[in-house]
Amino acid sequence: MTELAGVLTAFGLAASAGLNAYVPLLTIALMARFTNLLTLSERWEPLTSWWVIGALVILTAVEFFADKAPAINHVNDAIQTFVRPAAGAVLFAASTGAVTNIHPVVAIIAGLLVAGTVHAVKAAAVRPAITATTGGAGNVPVSIAEDVTATVLSILAILVPIVLGCLIVLFTAFVIWWLWQRSDAHRVAPLHS
């Protein structure tokens, strides 16, 4: 069960990095430094140094404000296209239990793919749609919601990874059901026209 929890933690943290690269990194750095809830392997211990924590606080603040400013948020998303997948790779590899049971290269690739996919959906589909439909007015509330989601997801991934895994399965099932219903509605609609 511990191995499964480690993998679920890794997936949760990598997904969180797809929304905000620095929140999950800061979360694990603080939890590993100040609690017994998370233990990083020796090679990832530098994440708990004061210099790294300070840098992560600054980067989190920069990301928070850059993502709220019109036009700057698009530049930020372009830059984050490289940062978020890399953060996801680090988070996946650094997570408790994942590295000891999964080859580091596989862990890094999985983290890149998870964080990169979440970021791609956010930056290429969700954000442009919100900008277009709200004239940009919806970007700030959505950005705040993303930051809150990234924070909650990071904490859940560490504290209750099994619950997070169940939520991910339920969410995925809902999305599949919704897409299925939507495709059925499009197939039936032309018949009634």
Side-chain angles (χ1 to χ4, degrees):
M1 194 61 131
T2 303
E3 294 171 3
L4 176 62
V7 171
L8 290 173
T9 295
F11 274 106
L13 290 170
S16 178
L19 294 173
N20 185 314
Y22 308 113
V23 165
L25 286 168
L26 183 58
T27 301
I28 67 163
L30 292 173
M31 285 190 151
R33 176 126 184 139
F34 296 111
T35 73
N36 296 342
L37 299 171
L38 182 69
T39 304
L40 299 176
S41 65
E42 190 176 318
R43 73 179 84 169
W44 300 106
E45 284 263 333
L47 284 173
T48 63
S49 81
W50 285 112
W51 289 105
V52 173
I53 290 172
L56 288 171
V57 167
I58 292 167
L59 289 169
T60 301
V62 168
E63 164 83 6
F64 179 84
F65 291 110
D67 206 35
K68 309 305 180 268
I72 295 174
N73 66 343
H74 298 299
V75 173
N76 182 53
D77 273 342
I79 293 167
Q80 296 301 322
T81 298
F82 303 101
V83 175
R84 289 180 182 146
V90 167
L91 287 159
F92 201 104
S95 297
T96 304
V99 171
T100 58
N101 302 313
I102 297 174
H103 193 280
V105 172
V106 173
I108 288 170
I109 291 170
L112 280 168
L113 290 173
V114 171
T117 301
V118 171
H119 172 70
V121 168
K122 171 193 166 184
V126 174
R127 279 300 188 88
I130 290 167
T131 300
T133 57
T134 66
N139 286 347
V140 171
V142 168
S143 177
I144 291 170
E146 290 168 355
D147 293 339
V148 169
T149 301
T151 303
V152 170
L153 190 60
S154 297
I155 293 168
L156 285 177
I158 294 166
L159 297 180
V160 285
I162 301 298
V163 172
L164 178 65
C166 292
L167 290 173
I168 290 170
V169 168
L170 288 173
F171 180 75
T172 303
F174 171 76
V175 169
I176 291 169
W177 173 82
W178 181 74
L179 290 172
W180 188 316
Q181 294 293 344
R182 196 168 163 207
S183 70
D184 283 348
H186 286 292
R187 256 184 292 169
V188 172
L191 297 175
H192 295 308
S193 299

